[in-house]
Amino acid sequence: MDKGLLEARKVTDDDCSCEHTAITQAERESELTDEQATGIVEIFKALGDPTRVKIIYFLLNKELCVHDLGMRIGMEQSAVSHQLRYLRDLHIVKRRKEGKTVYYSLDDEHIEQIFVQTMVHLGHK
């Protein structure tokens, strides 16, 4: 392989033919913070697991208990509980206790919107 292809080339302003625009104060104030970027990564990481995606799918239309989720997904209740705890810590799902039974539902409509929009996007293939 050509040694020149292996060497990294530093990009300079001379390499750019676009018109540069200054960053306004309003743009600077609305920039994505490290904390926000980390939060987004955590949400997408949660959605990066098929089991958690299935849990969210089943909770789109109604709340379910751990037993019902386990039956739908084909997993032991302890494994489902572990995934629910992970989703709950990220405020993706919430729980409601009725006697000894704990019911889970999506935390808010934003999670539903993210999920539904992703499904719509997949339909464009």
Side-chain angles (χ1 to χ4, degrees), residues 63-66 95-104:
E63 67 179 9
L64 294 167
C65 67
V66 176
R95 66 184 181 170
R96 176 183 67 83
K97 196 166 186 175
E98 188 174 294
K100 291 184 178 182
T101 306
V102 179
Y103 292 94
Y104 288 86

Side-chain angles (χ1 to χ4, degrees), residues 25-125:
Q25 183 64 28
E27 289 173 323
R28 193 169 304 282
E29 289 173 0
S30 67
E31 286 181 352
L32 186 67
T33 66
D34 289 344
E35 185 178 311
Q36 290 169 319
T38 300
I40 291 169
V41 167
E42 291 300 319
I43 294 294
F44 282 109
K45 202 185 309 184
L47 296 174
D49 179 85
T51 299
R52 291 190 290 262
V53 168
K54 289 177 184 178
I55 289 171
I56 293 168
Y57 174 79
F58 288 121
L59 295 177
L60 279 175
N61 295 314
K62 66 179 180 177
E63 67 179 9
L64 294 167
C65 67
V66 176
H67 176 264
D68 290 342
L69 283 166
M71 294 295 291
R72 284 170 171 77
I73 297 169
M75 289 179 70
E76 296 291 324
Q77 288 185 30
S78 61
V80 173
S81 292
H82 174 75
Q83 298 299 332
L84 286 165
R85 188 176 318 108
Y86 182 89
L87 294 171
R88 196 176 69 240
D89 289 345
L90 291 171
H91 304 284
I92 293 174
V93 300
K94 61 185 176 184
R95 66 184 181 170
R96 176 183 67 83
K97 196 166 186 175
E98 188 174 294
K100 291 184 178 182
T101 306
V102 179
Y103 292 94
Y104 288 86
S105 61
L106 296 182
D107 192 86
D108 61 36
E109 70 278 353
H110 299 117
I111 298 303
E112 180 179 348
Q113 290 170 3
I114 291 168
F115 196 88
V116 170
Q117 286 301 312
T118 303
M119 294 294 291
V120 169
H121 176 72
L122 288 174
H124 285 124
K125 288 185 175 182

Side-chain angles (χ1 to χ4, degrees), residues 9-24:
R9 185 171 163 260
K10 186 175 180 178
V11 177
T12 65
D13 284 340
D14 296 337
D15 296 326
C16 183
S17 62
C18 69
E19 292 184 26
H20 300 284
T21 57
I23 299 173
T24 66

